[in-house]
Amino acid sequence: DAKTTQPPSMDCAEGRAANLPCNHSTISGNEYVYWYRQIHSQGPQYIIHGLKNNETNEMASLIITEDRKSSTLILPHATLRDTAVYYCIVRAEGGSNYKLTFGKGTLLTVNP
Amino acid sequence: GAVVSQHPSRVICKSGTSVKIECRSLDFQATTMFWYRQFPKQSLMLMATSNEGSKATYEQGVEKDKFLINHASLTLSTLTVTSAHPEDSSFYICSARDLGGNYEQYFGPGTRLTVT
């Protein structure tokens, strides 16, 4: 069963911020939110992950709501190379809970 | 950063033959590697988890005798598709967990298998 819900597709203008939502209303207290992306015909690329605090790295920012039932991945200045399928995944840490279960993701198309 | 390679990147084989795909972690050690399959316009589906020095754990519905996995070292896992058929044509992707870092999974670039 899918543990996350994402819109199937989104469009964004080049240079603008891309905000990708993810719903994970059944997330458990020990589960992290991970974001990966997959550019066409390539392997997935790790973007960012977080537990409850907002996170930022050189690629993106992750905003997690206080109740942790949803999150938003923000690409601050989208480029054409950011066109990809973005996957939001929830996963616990440690033990045997290391599997990544990919849903259908969101196809983000960055337009010139 | 952590790099995972796959070889070959593309392979075309005839029905009934076997194909071996290699997955290597280039700059880190990985006791656990994963194999995924992705059909066109679909998401990645986990096939099996490969642990160094032990038998792989296959997901439900994946035939272990058809998809042979060997994880002989901390940097190499292989997937052999035996007696391949056209329905095995797919994009095969491996990933590896970095033990020395933060246990993140890093993905290879994938192998496109076409069975004619």
Side-chain angles (χ1 to χ4, degrees):
Chain A
D1 292 339
K3 301 181 72 172
T4 64
T5 303
Q6 299 178 252
S9 63
M10 294 183 65
D11 284 275
C12 176
E14 188 178 19
R16 304 297 293 269
N19 298 282
L20 292 93
C22 180
N23 181 289
H24 32 78
S25 57
T26 61
I27 192 170
S28 300
N30 65 340
E31 289 183 317
Y32 286 71
V33 180
Y34 281 79
W35 284 84
Y36 283 79
R37 73 179 182 183
Q38 186 179 24
I39 296 170
H40 182 62
S41 294
Q42 297 184 23
Q45 177 188 22
Y46 166 81
I47 300 173
I48 199 167
H49 76 285
L51 182 61
K52 56 182 179 181
N53 297 322
N54 297 337
E55 302 288 343
T56 295
N57 63 21
E58 64 278 5
M59 289 183 68
S61 295
L62 174 60
I63 308 297
I64 303 174
T65 58
E66 192 169 343
D67 63 8
R68 302 209 323 123
K69 292 184 177 182
S70 65
S71 61
T72 301
L73 178 73
I74 301 173
L75 307 179
H77 305 287
T79 70
L80 299 180
R81 289 177 294 180
D82 292 322
T83 292
V85 178
Y86 288 75
Y87 297 99
C88 170
I89 301 169
V90 295
R91 190 193 75 176
E93 293 295 294
S96 62
N97 298 320
Y98 46 68
K99 294 181 183 179
L100 290 173
T101 301
F102 286 81
K104 296 182 178 180
T106 296
L107 172 59
L108 173 69
T109 302
V110 181
N111 300 304
Chain B
V3 178
V4 176
S5 70
Q6 283 185 239
H7 178 79
S9 57
R10 291 177 176 270
V11 58
I12 300 173
C13 71
K14 293 186 176 181
S15 186
T17 62
S18 295
V19 174
K20 180 185 286 187
I21 301 170
E22 292 186 350
C23 176
R24 294 180 184 272
S25 56
L26 297 185
D27 50 3
F28 65 98
Q29 293 185 329
T31 60
T32 304
M33 292 184 173
F34 305 87
W35 287 96
Y36 295 81
R37 180 170 54 182
Q38 186 176 33
F39 292 108
K41 298 189 184 300
Q42 295 188 21
S43 188
L44 286 79
M45 294 299 294
L46 180 65
M47 298 174 66
T49 302
S50 166
N51 291 296
E52 186 263 339
S54 63
K55 291 183 179 180
T57 302
Y58 291 82
E59 295 297 302
Q60 191 173 8
V62 178
E63 301 175 56
K64 63 179 181 179
D65 293 330
K66 180 171 183 61
F67 299 99
L68 302 179
I69 292 174
N70 183 277
H71 192 159
S73 77
L74 289 174
T75 60
L76 173 64
S77 176
T78 61
L79 168 69
T80 301
V81 182
T82 63
S83 187
H85 292 283
E87 57 265 31
D88 298 322
S89 298
S90 187
F91 193 49
Y92 292 86
I93 307 169
C94 72
S95 70
R97 293 179 75 203
D98 181 1
L99 288 183
N102 53 8
Y103 287 80
E104 289 313 317
Q105 282 191 39
Y106 298 96
F107 286 81
T111 296
R112 177 78 58 190
L113 171 63
T114 303
V115 184
T116 61

